[in-house]
Amino acid sequence: MTEANEAKAGFGTAVVATLATLVLLFPAYWMVITALQGDSAIFAYPPRFWPTDLNADALWSALKTTNVGRWLANTTIVAGVSTLFVVPVAALTAYALSRFRGKVASFSALLIVVSQMMPPVLLLVPYFILFRELGLLDGLLGLILANFAWALPVSAWLMKAAFDGVPHDLEEAALIDGCTRFSAIWRIALPLALPGIAASAVFAFISAWDEYFFARTLIADSSKWVVAVGLGSFVGDYSVSWQQVMAVATISTLPPAILFMLVQRAFVSNLSAGAVKG
Amino acid sequence: MSNSLTLEKLLLAPVVAFLLVFYVGPIGFDLWASVRSEGGAVSAAGGFVGFAHYASLLSDARIWSSAGVTLVFTVTVVIATYVVGLVAAMTLNRKFFGRDVIGSLLLIPWTMPLVVAAVVWGWLLDYQFGIVNYLLEKSGLISQPIGFLTDPDVALTSVGAAQVWRLFPLAMVTLLAALKAIPQELYEAAAIDGANRWQSFWSVTLPSIRSTTTALVLLIAIWAFGRVFTIVFVMTGGGPAGATETLVIATYLEAFRYFRLERASALGAMVLAISVILTLLYLRASRDRSK
Amino acid sequence: MPIKEGSRESGKLSRRRMLAGGGAAMAAGSLAMPAIAQPAITGEVTFATNEWTLPHTARVLRRISETFSAKYPGAKVREIPYPYAGFHDQMLTQLTAGTPPDIIRVEDPQMSLYIERGFLSPLDDALREAKVNTAGFVAAGKDAMRDGKTYAVAYQSNARAMMFNKALLSDAGLAGPPKNKDEFADYIKRATKRDKGVFGYSLASKSGEVVGMFIYMVPIILGFGAHFTTSDGKPNAADPRIAEGLAFIKQMWDENSVPRGLDGAAALKLVTDGRVAMTLNGSFVLGAARDEVRPLLGVEPSPLPSGIVMRASSWFAATTQAKNKPAAIAWLMHMLEPENQNLIAESERIVPALPEFIKPETYKESPWLKTFVAGAATGVSYLPPGLGSKAFGQIKTIGEEIENILYRNKPIASAMGDLQKSLEANLRG
């Protein structure tokens, strides 16, 4: 392609992509707009596309009257710590599954796939009993463990695909040259599989951030609530102020969104990784 | 080679142990519950009823209807999520002005809490107050509001759309990572051979991302089939008139509306069994193809 | 409020008799002290209800808990606020697993199941000790009884009456509320103004919220004189009066006089926002209404022919496996104290377990409360009668056919025929 054509194609792509993105983001726009309006906005008729009377009252009152700050702190701890542990464990597991084909590996692969098929509803009672016996009820540690359990199979599965995409040759070469296996993993396989691993880490974080079912089951003390449960406490109550709900929702969307912005370089932007030369 | 085996065991044993406790244990509990009489799951007083629950489920027209709904839902969500994710990933794989910003923005559906996403979509599609109906009526495209969530013929599409909206960033990100790993030389070679863009897509791109595609498709399918709950439940609760009642929702209703935990366990066991069988078939098929 | 320590036995007895006799004015600040001879009432009591996050109710519960702690030194309530969405699922999970909180909230659908599974602790001894006038309980009190034993005490019993928005009625050129079913149907149609977002009537019709939908439909169905089962639990879907009630609902639906697909909270919000002309609802609406809407609301008994009043109630119970049963039961008895009963009525404008203790001042401030108290005395639960713990599941089955009628335009006769068969099949097994 000539440079001029490339530029034109680039511009065309930018326009289409922007329009598509705007349409796709409409629900997010609606969430934010509702947070900035008067109470009956959602039942207003006719609905206003561009509301004129915006105010940030709901955001301030949400921050003051609900425990959003505490919820965010709890959620950050639970999501952060569980992801921190899931990533290395899942990565090593994924590496093993990708490179080894023995009986243990096949059995593990089967377990990992089957684990993801459990309808979460049926895990509620067993987990409640299990965590009660382990004395983990009503503490963030229990929730961290539950989220770890939730994310592990999926992360391992996604990371395995990432490792599968990295050819064995380089590692074999390194091993023959006298490298230890761990060194080979750390210096060769890992960097090449990094985009997939990063994607999977982000996914684990988001799942933990979002998680409602187990958080509700395993925590009784409202000071340990995570954001998902806090939000859930609004839905279905007739005294709910919808703009406050959306305000809390907007606030709780910000940390993962910001995290994404920072981390997206690892998989959206152009990384030098990819080409296996020579 | 024994070195490899030891390393393999070392890396995998802890994970296996963990999964046995946290997943196989509950599966065992549910299998046991599924053969107990009502109320007998956790009390010794209940009796053993063998396969009675399974039989009753298989002769229940509602359950078959749920199976149908689940099938349609799973297939459409998998295809739509993959396609949208792939298109987005391929777009982001090119250089264009504002790409980084667009890339970050496209991740936002993923960051919205599930319950909120479901509630917002519910408002957007509301029959009398939703803005989508309002815009459609105002622009003259329709004369009556569309029952996005109240018309049994449309509801499944609506919740499917919300589900795809929520899932596609994962597909996008995973596929983008895979696309980046494709060496430039392959495209150059294809170009030299005279392939146009479409042909090189089929002959270079798709084959190169096969393993990721397999893993991703399986993942989404397993989810849509056996795990997806919140968005559908909050948007329609399985209605209207059962139009969006997937097997997962039916399981929930069995346990918490009919108070029949044992029957719910049986249903869950069947869903699990089907998932396992379909997965094994799928994996065998994809392994055969790559030989 | 200073609490006087209990006086001698005889003094207590005569005071109770006086209160039981008329329930009028009460000496301020004087509370009868139950004689507790068993283990000391002390320690932490875990109390689970979603209402800890509802400002009005939380205030009441906290006030009662404060005076409770003052009465029993060392006793303290620990609030456990599970979110409403899934609250009862949560309770069922914990009850099944054997470690529930000490006090839990129970609503109509769960009551039979909990009693049948032995989850709730009988309260009769404590009620006797505290000399509670169980004959003065609202009708909902009976729902908590089985084989002569009482397993829970009602917090609120919300009977339905017709509430109408005077401004919206006059906007439609209507002089006052409807007096019979034909006027009702006609007024609903005329008061609807779609372009203003105003509806003649409000309905919850969302699938997932089985109970919400039922609570909105049953006042109308009962208004024509029948329920989906007879009082001894026999399926009754083929009763022509049921068809009449459903036809009334379907007509409103087809005329677009009711919103579609809303859940209970949203349907109520339309009312409290002043966008609905008439509704058959409970007195809490008046408490929850916006300030500018409240003065516009009027209350009349339902204009439907049968005169049967529907009620939705909630109770508090002490669990069998409570860690601190004595204190839990003591809290429940404390709630039944006259002062607290009036507090409940006055703060939330709802009908408590023993309406005899509502003070005249409270009636003066909320005169329509009398209509609701009368309703609560005779009202029936929205649950199909005679089914015990199976009632909840059958609500779902019934709800499915109602949805078929509304959403799939299934003919009412055919739907009710199928429903009758389903109910018979379900209840046989």
Side-chain angles (χ1 to χ4, degrees), chain B residues 9-96:
Chain B
K9 284 207 202 121
L10 187 71
L11 285 178
L12 292 174
V15 174
V16 168
F18 185 85
L19 291 178
L20 284 174
V21 171
F22 278 84
Y23 284 95
V24 179
I27 292 177
F29 173 85
D30 287 316
L31 284 176
W32 182 75
S34 73
V35 294
R36 305 277 297 170
S37 62
E38 272 185 47
V42 275
S43 98
F48 181 74
V49 295
F51 288 112
H53 294 307
Y54 292 93
S56 115
L57 286 167
L58 285 172
S59 56
D60 188 341
R62 248 187 66 241
I63 300 293
W64 283 105
S65 158
S66 293
V69 167
T70 310
L71 190 64
V72 173
F73 181 75
T74 304
V75 170
T76 47
V77 166
V78 167
I79 295 177
T81 308
Y82 184 79
V83 168
V84 173
L86 186 59
V87 167
M90 285 175 61
T91 311
L92 291 175
N93 203 20
R94 306 224 227 126
K95 281 209 255 275
F96 62 88

Side-chain angles (χ1 to χ4, degrees), chain A residues 79-120:
Chain A
V81 174
S82 66
T83 306
L84 212 59
F85 279 105
V86 154
V87 169
V89 175
L92 286 176
T93 309
Y95 179 81
L97 288 177
S98 174
R99 294 303 184 237
F100 300 124
R101 299 282 163 197
K103 285 220 195 78
V104 181
S106 302
F107 181 66
S108 314
L110 182 66
L111 263 191
I112 283 177
V113 169
V114 168
S115 302
Q116 297 170 57
M117 299 177 186
M118 272 294 269

Side-chain angles (χ1 to χ4, degrees), chain C residues 271-329:
Chain C
V271 176
T272 56
D273 275 0
R275 306 267 289 285
V276 173
M278 288 160 281
T279 179
L280 292 170
N281 228 313
S283 52
F284 51 84
V285 168
L286 292 150
R290 289 157 76 94
D291 292 330
E292 62 266 24
V293 173
R294 194 173 305 127
L296 300 172
L297 297 175
V299 177
E300 285 288 319
S302 160
L304 293 175
S306 75
I308 302 180
V309 175
M310 185 202 98
R311 57 169 164 86
S313 320
S314 81
W315 298 256
F316 290 127
T319 53
T320 322
Q321 285 161 309
K323 291 206 190 72
N324 191 350
K325 220 186 296 189
I329 296 181

Side-chain angles (χ1 to χ4, degrees), chain A residues 1-277:
Chain A
M1 247 198 241
T2 66
E3 273 216 25
N5 276 345
E6 250 195 56
K8 251 191 271 178
F11 183 72
T13 313
V15 169
V16 172
T18 309
L19 285 176
T21 306
L22 286 178
V23 170
L24 278 175
L25 286 189
F26 191 66
Y29 165 75
W30 204 248
M31 172 181 82
V32 176
I33 279 293
T34 305
L36 297 175
Q37 279 187 80
D39 199 4
S40 285
I42 31 135
F43 291 134
Y45 197 80
R48 288 161 290 175
F49 198 87
W50 302 111
T52 44
D53 51 342
L54 298 179
N55 60 71
D57 289 350
L59 285 171
W60 298 132
S61 78
L63 283 169
K64 269 190 295 185
T65 60
T66 65
N67 255 330
V68 167
R70 167 95 44 87
W71 299 343
L72 282 174
N74 288 336
T75 316
T76 309
I77 295 175
V78 170
V81 174
S82 66
T83 306
L84 212 59
F85 279 105
V86 154
V87 169
V89 175
L92 286 176
T93 309
Y95 179 81
L97 288 177
S98 174
R99 294 303 184 237
F100 300 124
R101 299 282 163 197
K103 285 220 195 78
V104 181
S106 302
F107 181 66
S108 314
L110 182 66
L111 263 191
I112 283 177
V113 169
V114 168
S115 302
Q116 297 170 57
M117 299 177 186
M118 272 294 269
V121 164
L122 294 178
L123 289 172
L124 279 183
V125 173
Y127 273 22
F128 184 74
I129 298 180
L130 177 67
F131 278 67
R132 185 188 68 199
E133 298 309 310
L134 293 175
L136 288 175
L137 281 184
D138 210 25
L140 289 182
L141 183 59
L143 211 47
I144 292 173
L145 190 57
N147 279 296
F148 177 86
W150 184 254
L152 181 59
V154 186
S155 307
W157 193 249
L158 286 175
M159 292 186 194
K160 169 179 180 298
F163 279 117
D164 282 346
V166 175
H168 302 220
D169 327 26
L170 288 181
E171 291 154 62
E172 300 298 327
L175 285 173
I176 291 174
D177 277 353
C179 256
T180 65
R181 175 69 75 161
F182 280 112
S183 175
I185 300 176
W186 183 254
R187 284 208 257 139
I188 298 169
L190 211 56
L192 290 177
L194 194 59
I197 294 182
S200 161
V202 163
F203 163 75
F205 184 82
I206 285 286
S207 303
W209 188 268
D210 230 7
E211 207 288 314
Y212 174 70
F213 243 141
F214 293 114
R216 186 192 77 194
T217 305
L218 302 174
I219 300 275
D221 193 341
S222 63
S223 75
K224 301 229 178 57
W225 270 5
V226 294
V227 147
V229 179
L231 273 170
S233 73
F234 294 133
V235 177
D237 274 339
Y238 61 73
S239 68
V240 74
S241 142
W242 281 114
Q243 90 264 38
Q244 254 201 4
V245 178
M246 290 299 118
V248 174
T250 307
I251 295 172
S252 71
T253 307
L254 289 177
I258 295 174
L259 177 76
F260 271 10
M261 306 283 165
L262 299 174
V263 168
Q264 60 94 17
R265 289 185 190 292
F267 40 78
V268 172
S269 300
N270 215 352
L271 263 190
S272 54
V276 181
K277 291 215 164 43

Side-chain angles (χ1 to χ4, degrees), chain C residues 136-360:
Chain C
F137 273 154
V138 286
K142 287 198 212 65
D143 288 352
M145 292 183 66
R146 204 56 52 92
D147 301 325
K149 293 215 186 90
T150 311
Y151 290 93
V153 288
Y155 174 72
Q156 60 187 318
S157 189
N158 291 310
R160 267 45 185 169
M162 178 176 63
M163 271 169 274
F164 55 94
N165 186 315
K166 301 179 205 144
L168 292 180
L169 284 182
S170 80
D171 276 352
L174 299 161
K179 305 257 183 333
N180 56 56
K181 67 171 162 63
D182 296 314
E183 272 182 22
F184 200 10
D186 181 49
Y187 284 23
I188 288 174
K189 184 167 178 196
R190 284 161 60 179
T192 303
K193 290 184 171 35
R194 289 297 304 283
D195 51 344
K196 291 220 185 78
V198 167
F199 291 95
Y201 195 80
S202 187
L203 268 189
S205 55
K206 191 163 172 211
S207 257
E209 228 201 28
V210 156
V211 172
M213 180 169 77
F214 216 63
I215 286 183
Y216 273 83
M217 307 263 175
V218 170
I220 297 181
I221 296 189
L222 273 181
F224 284 88
H227 210 320
F228 289 96
T229 52
T230 59
S231 54
D232 52 350
K234 294 217 181 39
N236 190 36
D239 192 319
R241 293 171 292 182
I242 303 261
E244 255 196 285
L246 288 171
F248 190 92
I249 297 174
K250 181 79 165 105
Q251 186 182 341
M252 291 195 291
W253 183 273
D254 288 338
E255 287 168 358
N256 274 317
S257 311
V258 290
R260 297 188 182 191
L262 294 186
D263 63 12
L268 182 61
K269 190 142 182 55
L270 278 184
V271 176
T272 56
D273 275 0
R275 306 267 289 285
V276 173
M278 288 160 281
T279 179
L280 292 170
N281 228 313
S283 52
F284 51 84
V285 168
L286 292 150
R290 289 157 76 94
D291 292 330
E292 62 266 24
V293 173
R294 194 173 305 127
L296 300 172
L297 297 175
V299 177
E300 285 288 319
S302 160
L304 293 175
S306 75
I308 302 180
V309 175
M310 185 202 98
R311 57 169 164 86
S313 320
S314 81
W315 298 256
F316 290 127
T319 53
T320 322
Q321 285 161 309
K323 291 206 190 72
N324 191 350
K325 220 186 296 189
I329 296 181
W331 193 97
L332 295 176
M333 297 303 119
H334 181 65
M335 182 187 86
L336 292 175
E337 295 281 344
E339 200 56 39
N340 290 325
Q341 290 290 294
N342 182 63
L343 178 68
I344 294 171
E346 168 194 63
S347 306
E348 293 222 70
R349 307 165 202 253
I350 52 182
V351 179
L354 293 162
E356 61 190 88
F357 296 134
I358 301 179
K359 297 186 190 172

